Amino acid sequence: MQSLGKSLLPEPVPPASHAPCRLISATPRRCSASFGQTMNETIHSTLNHMSFPSREADAAARFFERYLGFTISPMGTSRVLKKDGLDIVIEDASGREVNWPHNFHIGVELPTVEAVHELRALLVSQGEKMETAVLGHARGSRFFCWVPGGMMLEVNTRADANDQYRTTFARQSQ
């Protein structure tokens, strides 16, 4: 096997008398694992996709394309949605039962409160299934609706959020 050059992973921690590494630990400690020097160090990664089963994969994909501007790429009977560097795989589950946890949902953010109201009005006019009206919330106005196939979608904005919720988690850590 040829070496591809310097590894992007940290050097392995040499075996020592450290306690075995546990997945859940109250305090960082050295691990004998082949990556990560302590429990609070991580390897840089980027979320690049999510995958959701749907009994109506094509209808779910068209919902995201029509109302939220995603592009659709077929993948057999499943669909891959693409937008803003993120892929959402809508897995064809037409031959099996799909059970979502009680309040599982995904969320998309719009730039203004007006855009949230406009999108909800459009969805209602097109006969899409709504779960809520537009709700005022400390983290910004939002509503919940159903994507064909049974996935819940939250549409929100931070434009009217309390100050501590105005930035994304990514921007807060920079």
Side-chain angles (χ1 to χ4, degrees):
M1 184 168 160
Q2 289 183 333
S3 171
L4 297 177
K6 186 175 183 209
S7 172
L8 297 177
L9 300 175
E11 290 295 317
V13 176
S17 60
H18 302 295
C21 186
R22 295 180 190 221
L23 293 177
I24 301 173
S25 175
T27 57
R29 65 174 167 209
R30 286 190 147 322
C31 299
S32 58
S34 62
F35 64 88
Q37 305 262 328
T38 64
M39 290 299 290
N40 65 346
E41 292 181 31
T42 60
I43 297 170
H44 174 74
S45 64
T46 301
L47 178 65
N48 76 336
H49 82 278
M50 295 180 278
S51 184
F52 301 108
S54 176
R55 296 191 75 179
E56 299 178 50
D58 193 53
R62 286 192 317 265
F63 178 98
F64 281 93
E65 177 186 47
R66 180 175 186 184
Y67 300 118
L68 300 170
F70 283 79
T71 59
I72 301 173
S73 297
M75 186 175 71
T77 57
S78 297
R79 301 291 180 263
V80 178
L81 306 171
K82 296 178 173 288
K83 184 176 181 183
D84 300 330
L86 177 69
D87 293 353
I88 299 176
V89 178
I90 305 294
E91 176 192 341
D92 179 11
S94 57
R96 62 186 163 89
E97 192 171 337
V98 175
N99 292 310
W100 294 97
H102 167 67
N103 64 344
F104 175 83
H105 65 278
I106 62 172
V108 297
E109 185 174 339
L110 300 181
T112 65
V113 175
E114 294 77 22
V116 169
H117 283 278
E118 288 174 17
L119 180 56
R120 186 177 188 287
L122 175 62
L123 293 170
V124 167
S125 76
Q126 297 300 305
E128 301 295 347
K129 185 177 174 187
M130 296 289 109
E131 181 68 15
T132 69
V134 175
L135 308 168
H137 192 279
R139 291 185 297 135
S141 293
R142 62 201 56 232
F143 69 86
F144 293 84
C145 64
W146 294 96
V147 174
M151 183 189 326
M152 187 183 291
L153 175 69
E154 174 185 336
V155 177
N156 64 54
T157 185
R158 294 177 213 234
D160 62 344
N162 292 351
D163 287 342
Q164 73 257 35
Y165 302 116
R166 291 261 172 137
T167 59
T168 66
F169 292 117
R171 287 189 214 129
Q172 288 174 4
S173 65
Q174 293 177 354

